Amino acid sequence: MSQQSQGSVIVSLPDGSKREFENEPSVGDVADDIGPGLGEDCVAGIVDGDLVAPEYRIESNADLRIVTPGSDDYVRVLRHSAAHVLAQAVLRQFPDAKLAIGPPTDDGFYYDFDGLDIEQSDLAAIESEMRDIVAAEYDIEREEVVPEEARERLADQPYKLELLDDIVADGETVTFYRQGEFEDLCAGPHVSSTGAVGALSLLEIAGAYWRGDEDEAMLTRIYGTAFEREADLEAFLERREEAEKRDHRKIGREMDLFSVPDHSPGCVNFHPNGMAIRRELEEYVREKNDELGYDEVKTPELNHAELWKKSGHYDHFKEEGEMFAWEQNGHEYGLKPMNCANHAYIYGEQRRSYRDLPLRFSEFGMCYRNEQSGELSGMLRVRGFTQDDGHAFIRKDQIREEIARTLSVIDGMYEVFGLDAHLELETKPDDAIGDDELWERAHEALRNALEDEGLDYEVAEGEGAFYGPKIAINVEDAIGREWTIGTVQLDFVQPERLGISYVGEDNEEHRPVMVHRALLGSMERFMGVFIEHVAGKFPLWLAPEQVRILPITDDEAEYAAEIADELGAYRVEVDERDWTLGKKIRAGHDDRVPYMVIVGSDEAESGTLSVRDREERQRGGVELAEFRNHLDGEYGEKRLRPDFLD
């Protein structure tokens, strides 16, 4: 392509080609320029990562992806339109309801309403009304109006008026989308008609504060989902049903693992069973920390806010309302949102030499974030969490080796849990602190480390931490959901802000580089994810109860106690309840115990065992030494499932 002419716009397409336009083209104009067929099929565009309507004008050089029916991005447009169909159906049945917002989500869509007093059972009637609207195939028409007219149209919709005041600027118009009798203030994009919405289902009702602010009105949020094809909807609903069966909150109650009390919202009580799992996880992480050369520390949860102002956490988290902070005796205090500034403080308490580096600190550090009440969810979204944190203080010439060593250890960790992992390089976000040069050096160092190790990765633009880019370790669970677990982050910024240094070989002061890394991330969140991944059927090494001994009658109680004593290295219980054997076996399966040892008169007389696993396989005549040796191997190798009876 020749040199760009003044005032022109260059649009870069996914195939690597570029097109130049003298005026500011709309997304639709670009689609037409590529080909008339594409112009007709164009539903929306992705401009520099943002989903926009075909009418959106591209004012400067940009990357563009055209969205057409059947493409990966099309379902998001379809779901946005489904949210409008939901709002239209609600207003037909509840004309006095007030509209708030109705965006698409990764799994579907929702719409928030005020003045809507409904229950879960009411969703069927609303969904039926939605299907009537889809069947009517109303054209979805876009209209630009001036703010004065918009205010007239929205006179009885206070939340929309508030939104209008936020988005309107002098001389600008705003857009409405109309379908039949319904219209909504909306930037779009949308499908061409309600008939294109396809297969839909309403899922549940929840409460949500207006603008996510607990001081604002509580609204009624209706969740739904939509797909192009009925088969896709059915598959989604099956996955959702399976996810409900695996809900870690439900399993946590059944297995007595944890609770989240009303007097401590967003903070987890670990019960003895849950603590057994957590201790095993912590020891596993400690083993990996030892491999990587970390020294464990413990730092205070309560700090002067000045520490967090220096590091940048204060401005970042306080602005979002996520930091617990208060005034006392003329000082402002805060609960730590992360551990890094405390580790940097320990580093800075001594004069360090280049020979001391790398210097590595790890901590199971309790941190706090003031998450919104409506966003809290068992162990997965909490206010108090324990980060398996680590910080390495290194020289610049040690970056590549340090990142590579960390990734090599992480690479094999998730196989132990049966989790498929893939990596994302998350780049500089909008709220980043520090100068561009430092950020680019950090980006380049992480890219080089990933490529030197031959690791596949994707780039997630703008998703890094505010102080540095990061490699996110994402895992896919047993039913295809994706979770971010561990992270490796490179930070040139905080050492500068916190004033830490080392004396170099040249006898001058130099700034170290910080590597932030979490192997499993938040212990609470990882446990929640893993509970759902295995549906509570923990591998032997993590199971809170590893072996349950079932004496058939009281006559075998003494032999059962001898077996329990021989297996004392494991978490063993003897079921002494006055139940039938069948009932005891059912209870063992319901409690997801890996192994049950059944002892009756034959076993007591012969000194053997009858071993049954939770997959309902059983073998008699087992020697105790054989079973104990197998447990040692299965536990030591951290095998994923009970395999004695394979």
Side-chain angles (χ1 to χ4, degrees), residues 306-314 316-317 337-345 347-348 369 389-393 432-435 438-439 442 465-469 489-501 510-517:
E306 285 303 315
L307 177 66
W308 306 110
K309 290 177 181 178
K310 289 179 183 177
S311 69
H313 289 84
Y314 182 91
H316 178 78
F317 288 110
M338 286 304 290
N339 302 295
C340 36
N342 297 73
H343 290 189
Y345 175 82
Y347 174 95
R369 307 271 179 87
D389 229 341
H391 295 93
F393 301 86
I433 60 176
D435 63 54
L438 291 178
W439 273 87
F466 69 93
Y467 49 78
Q489 304 169 29
L490 195 57
D491 181 2
F492 288 85
V493 174
Q494 285 200 62
E496 187 77 34
R497 292 178 67 103
L498 294 169
I500 59 175
S501 62
H510 299 270
R511 296 289 183 214
V513 180
M514 285 179 71
V515 177
H516 308 241
R517 49 103 280 206

Side-chain angles (χ1 to χ4, degrees), residues 151-283:
R151 290 190 178 89
E152 291 178 9
R153 295 188 184 190
L154 300 171
D156 63 345
Q157 294 290 346
Y159 298 99
K160 293 294 184 182
L161 285 172
E162 189 173 329
L163 291 173
L164 177 64
D165 289 338
D166 288 344
I167 63 175
V168 74
D170 291 342
E172 289 188 354
T173 59
V174 294
T175 55
F176 278 72
Y177 282 82
R178 175 182 292 277
Q179 55 199 51
E181 82 286 356
F182 174 79
E183 66 176 7
D184 200 356
L185 175 72
C186 182
H190 288 281
V191 295
S192 59
S193 81
T194 60
V197 167
L200 60 85
S201 178
L202 294 185
L203 303 174
E204 61 185 348
I205 300 170
Y209 291 106
W210 171 235
R211 296 184 179 275
D213 187 339
E214 295 182 17
D215 294 328
E216 295 282 359
M218 173 64 79
L219 307 177
T220 299
R221 176 170 293 178
I222 300 178
Y223 285 99
T225 193
F227 294 86
E228 287 187 77
R229 293 171 292 276
E230 195 69 36
D232 294 332
L233 173 62
E234 290 175 2
F236 169 84
L237 294 176
E238 288 176 6
R239 289 195 302 273
R240 178 180 168 83
E241 183 179 355
E242 180 63 25
E244 289 173 355
K245 293 177 184 176
R246 293 169 176 264
D247 190 320
H248 73 287
R249 294 165 295 188
K250 170 178 171 289
I251 293 172
R253 289 190 298 271
E254 293 171 352
M255 299 184 70
D256 194 24
L257 302 178
F258 72 95
S259 58
V260 181
D262 290 340
H263 63 258
S264 189
C267 296
V268 177
N269 279 340
F270 285 86
H271 298 192
N273 284 347
M275 198 63 200
I277 299 169
R278 175 169 167 157
R279 287 181 63 180
E280 293 279 7
L281 291 172
E282 287 182 353
E283 287 309 307

